[in-house]
Amino acid sequence: MNPVSLRIPPAQMPLAPPVPGTQPVEPSYKQFTDLLVDGFQEVNAAQNSANASVHDMLTGKDVDRIEVLTSVQKADMSFRLMQQIRNKLVEAYREINQMQI
C-alpha cells in the first residue's frame, strides 16, 4: 500500500479514548476582546500594587526597597508591553483600512 493513502486528515483523526470515570472536557476559547480586557486588568493591578508599595515606603512603613523597586519595574514593563500591543493593533487596523477592494 502507498503510505500516503493511509493518512487521516486532521479533522477526522480519532481522539484518544476517554479515561474511565472522567467527564470529557470541552475546550474553552476566549474572545479577543476578553483577552484584551484581561490584559488591561492585569496591567492595572500591577500599577496599583506598585503605587501601594511606593506609598507604603514613603509613609515610613517597613517595606523592603528591593521589593518596591521590583514592583515598580514590573508595572512599568507590563505597561510598555501593553503600549506596544496597542501600537501593533492600531498599525494593523490602519493597514487593513488602506487596503483597496
Side-chain angles (χ1 to χ4, degrees):
M1 280 190 180
N2 187 357
V4 176
S5 65
L6 295 177
R7 289 189 186 165
I8 300 172
Q12 298 175 358
M13 291 184 78
L15 298 175
V19 177
T22 62
Q23 295 288 345
V25 177
E26 290 293 322
S28 62
Y29 299 102
K30 284 191 165 187
Q31 294 290 328
F32 183 70
T33 54
D34 294 338
L35 291 173
L36 286 177
V37 169
D38 290 347
F40 292 144
Q41 289 173 346
E42 288 178 22
V43 169
N44 189 37
Q47 292 283 335
N48 290 338
S49 173
N51 287 340
S53 62
V54 168
H55 182 267
D56 289 346
M57 184 181 75
L58 293 176
T59 56
K61 292 186 180 174
D62 186 29
V63 184
D64 188 17
R65 291 180 185 176
I66 300 299
E67 289 179 14
V68 173
L69 180 63
T70 303
S71 68
V72 169
Q73 286 181 339
K74 191 185 289 187
D76 180 56
M77 187 179 298
S78 62
F79 181 77
R80 287 174 190 245
L81 177 63
M82 180 191 68
Q83 242 180 344
Q84 289 300 316
I85 291 171
R86 183 209 52 163
N87 291 343
K88 291 292 183 181
L89 288 172
V90 169
E91 181 182 330
Y93 174 77
R94 287 182 181 154
E95 193 172 312
I96 290 171
N97 233 5
Q98 291 176 356
M99 285 184 185
Q100 294 184 6
I101 300 174

